[in-house]
Amino acid sequence: NMPDSNQKKTVYEGRYLRLCIEGHWEYAERSNAGSAVIIIARTPADKLLFVEQFRVPLGRNTIEMPAGLVGDLDDDDTLERAAVRELLEETGWQAGQVQVLMTGPTSSGLSNELIAFVRATDLTRIDAGGGDETENITVHEVPVAEAAQWLARKMAEGYPMDPKLWAGLWLLDKNPDGTPLL
């Protein structure tokens, strides 16, 4: 159903987020970027790249696929450029090719943020990664065949796990419609 009123009110606007009320809905919008990318990246040694970093809202480290915002630094940014940039910045791996697989909402009841799954291939190791000056990222290279079990072990150890990680595993070898990669 539509909100009670079409009148959207901004109740808070910070540097990165805007909190809005529209009818009975309260939600967040990004004020510095329109969307984000999650990068599914397999190395030539058949390892999947994950990153570990401290996330303030959760108060602890999380395991994630490399990811980042689109358009937070450059208005001409694209999903593809953001994916290449963020993968290199976070993991030290340069993608020779990236393919946008699908875009959808991250949490449609909370935010209008969209996220795109991007498959990165033809990877070359350039440096150690670890993020920019504001980040402290640990890179994990996990054999593809062991990735689901590794994630389950990390979850059992207490790491918060975004369910999108398992969607990323599914999209590693399949297209969004379920057809296998050629």
Side-chain angles (χ1 to χ4, degrees):
N1 288 352
M2 293 295 292
D4 301 336
S5 161
N6 290 337
Q7 189 76 22
K8 178 170 117 177
K9 295 183 203 106
T10 299
V11 294
Y12 172 80
E13 184 149 2
R15 191 166 163 197
Y16 304 108
L17 289 177
R18 177 181 311 116
L19 299 180
C20 303
I21 295 176
E22 192 168 345
H24 67 279
W25 282 96
E26 296 177 356
Y27 59 95
E29 296 179 337
R30 284 204 179 277
S31 52
N32 69 323
S35 57
V37 290
I38 294 177
I39 304 112
I40 305 162
R42 173 189 266 159
T43 72
D46 206 32
K47 294 185 177 179
L48 197 52
L49 297 177
F50 295 101
V51 293
E52 177 180 340
Q53 61 185 315
F54 184 81
R55 293 298 198 179
V56 171
L58 296 173
R60 51 192 165 153
N61 280 15
T62 64
I63 303 288
E64 304 166 6
M65 286 182 169
L69 298 175
V70 181
D72 60 329
L73 305 173
D74 175 4
D75 287 343
D76 294 329
D77 209 8
T78 65
L79 296 171
E80 293 86 354
R81 278 203 296 259
V84 169
R85 177 185 66 248
E86 293 293 337
L87 182 66
L88 180 58
E89 181 183 287
E90 292 189 359
T91 70
W93 286 89
Q94 177 76 52
Q97 205 171 9
V98 291
Q99 176 190 10
V100 176
L101 301 174
M102 62 175 295
T103 302
T106 56
S107 181
S108 57
L110 175 69
S111 175
N112 69 342
E113 179 183 57
L114 298 176
I115 195 150
F117 276 100
V118 178
R119 188 183 295 123
T121 53
D122 189 21
L123 301 188
T124 306
R125 188 70 183 256
I126 302 293
D127 64 44
D132 65 22
E133 65 280 351
T134 68
E135 298 169 311
N136 182 15
I137 293 173
T138 301
V139 180
H140 296 281
E141 297 182 16
V142 180
V144 168
E146 301 168 19
Q149 295 87 351
W150 184 82
L151 288 173
R153 269 198 316 277
K154 289 296 190 181
M155 192 166 44
E157 291 170 15
Y159 284 87
M161 292 289 179
D162 186 331
K164 288 187 290 297
L165 284 166
W166 280 266
L169 290 180
W170 194 78
L171 289 167
L172 181 64
D173 294 313
K174 296 180 188 76
N175 294 306
D177 67 1
T179 57
L181 291 183
L182 300 176

